[in-house]
Amino acid sequence: ADVQTLVFRIDGNELRQLADRCVHKYCPHFYPQNVRQSTDTYKRWKWRNFLISFIHSNITGFGSLFCCIYQPSLLVEVIDSYLEAAYILTSISHGYFIYDLIEMLTHMTYKGSKELVVHHILIISCFSLTVTQHKYCGYSSIALLIELSNIFLHFRQLLLISNTPKTAKLYRINCYTNFGMFIVVRGVCLIWLWATLLWVLPRVPFVAKTIAFVSLIGICTMTYVLFIRVYKSDFGNTGQQTDVSITEQLVGAQTPPTTPEQTNGFTATAKDNAIHSKHS
């Protein structure tokens, strides 16, 4: 059984690095035209980073949904209920957040955010309990269901980076879907995470209990702030100016001053950097 686990276990860090290399070196056509023609390496890195995050959200979001449908006990018996597929998905996501944290620290000059660094550390701490102890698979699966909402949040960023107008039909469809998924999926999952945590509280060790409480408080706070800013950006009347303020306040990004390049498809430096959507 140990050998089988070793053979079939997927390391999320290596998976993300492989996807990163494929997109960067072997699949240049994945970049939109304005990014391909740009000499701004930050734009190319940002597109690649969000594309891989988008892929991660699809894999773990739909994967966790399948696991919960296949074994509904994951939603109730969050401590001892175990499914190999759920464990693998948690391992993938664990490696993803480690790698993304490294990338975030590496590019801190451009999109440095203490909030996001803390967020990633909290997520890594929670998933580490499942990866190392083979427990809490149900709790991790519920948390990964939130990635279903992040699919549309990441896709929103890809549209903004590719200079898709906010009046475009594709953007508006994603906008309303993102808003609905944010409320239904993210809201319900966070409520259920709180409910299950309080239900099993006497059976949870002190360290795990502390990590869970601190993580949930932090994630709920970030979710509320993110929701308000997404709403103001896509449904408010502040227009493109709101996008810039969202970046500066939520992400703490410090995009290097550059001159708008009409020849490579960019008309602004911060316009398409509206919201960093790593919150999960």
Side-chain angles (χ1 to χ4, degrees):
D2 293 338
V3 174
Q4 185 180 13
T5 302
L6 181 63
V7 171
F8 288 100
R9 179 179 172 184
I10 300 175
D11 189 287
N13 194 356
E14 292 181 0
L15 180 66
R16 182 181 169 90
Q17 290 186 57
L18 177 61
D20 185 272
R21 288 196 299 269
C22 289
V23 173
H24 181 60
K25 296 182 179 180
Y26 307 114
C27 304
H29 56 277
F30 279 130
Y31 292 97
Q33 184 177 1
N34 63 320
V35 177
R36 287 200 307 267
Q37 295 176 351
S38 175
T39 57
D40 189 346
T41 56
Y42 170 64
K43 298 288 184 181
R44 298 178 66 86
W45 170 80
K46 186 169 67 171
W47 169 268
R48 178 164 44 91
N49 181 265
F50 276 106
L51 179 59
I52 295 172
S53 299
F54 175 74
I55 295 172
H56 163 262
S57 294
N58 276 274
I59 294 174
T60 54
F62 285 108
S64 58
L65 179 62
F66 168 80
C67 290
C68 292
I69 294 175
Y70 180 79
Q71 187 168 318
S73 61
L74 289 170
L75 298 173
V76 181
E77 189 54 51
V78 295
I79 297 180
D80 298 321
S81 183
Y82 183 84
L83 184 65
E84 186 68 20
Y87 176 79
I88 291 175
L89 286 172
T90 305
S91 298
I92 291 175
S93 201
H94 182 254
Y96 160 81
F97 279 107
I98 291 175
Y99 188 90
D100 198 60
L101 177 62
I102 295 173
E103 278 209 330
M104 191 183 304
L105 294 173
T106 303
H107 296 82
M108 184 68 80
T109 305
Y110 296 134
K111 66 166 191 176
S113 172
K114 294 180 180 179
E115 296 175 16
L116 288 173
V117 170
V118 172
H119 167 269
H120 277 40
I121 292 175
L122 293 175
I123 295 295
I124 291 169
S125 300
C126 291
F127 287 163
S128 293
L129 296 175
T130 300
V131 173
T132 57
Q133 300 180 19
H134 288 70
K135 294 178 65 177
Y136 311 108
C137 268
Y139 204 77
S140 297
S141 296
I142 299 172
L144 287 177
L145 284 173
I146 298 177
E147 291 297 333
L148 289 170
S149 172
N150 284 343
I151 292 173
F152 302 96
L153 205 56
H154 290 313
F155 188 60
R156 178 186 185 277
Q157 269 296 333
L158 294 176
L159 291 174
L160 288 172
I161 296 172
S162 61
N163 286 346
T164 302
K166 286 193 173 184
T167 55
K169 185 176 181 179
L170 179 61
Y171 185 92
R172 299 314 299 173
I173 292 175
N174 184 77
C175 172
Y176 288 109
T177 307
N178 177 43
F179 188 72
M181 293 291 285
F182 208 107
I183 296 175
V184 176
V185 175
R186 190 180 293 258
V188 170
C189 286
L190 287 176
I191 292 174
W192 193 246
L193 285 173
W194 274 111
T196 53
L197 176 61
L198 295 176
W199 178 262
V200 300
L201 202 58
R203 299 163 50 196
V204 180
F206 176 77
V207 174
K209 188 184 308 182
T210 303
I211 292 175
F213 266 109
V214 173
S215 299
L216 272 180
I217 292 173
I219 292 171
C220 286
T221 302
M222 294 178 185
T223 296
Y224 173 76
V225 174
L226 182 63
F227 175 78
I228 295 300
R229 291 173 179 172
V230 168
Y231 178 82
K232 287 182 178 179
S233 176
D234 285 347
F235 297 96
N237 298 320
T238 52
Q240 294 176 344
Q241 237 177 353
T242 306
D243 288 339
V244 179
S245 63
I246 288 173
T247 303
E248 294 172 349
Q249 296 172 21
L250 180 62
V251 183
Q254 299 177 357
T255 306
T258 55
T259 304
E261 304 175 49
Q262 296 290 346
T263 56
N264 62 27
F266 290 108
T267 57
T269 57
K271 186 184 299 181
D272 58 356
N273 194 25
I275 298 174
H276 188 287
S277 55
K278 301 293 183 189
H279 298 277
S280 60

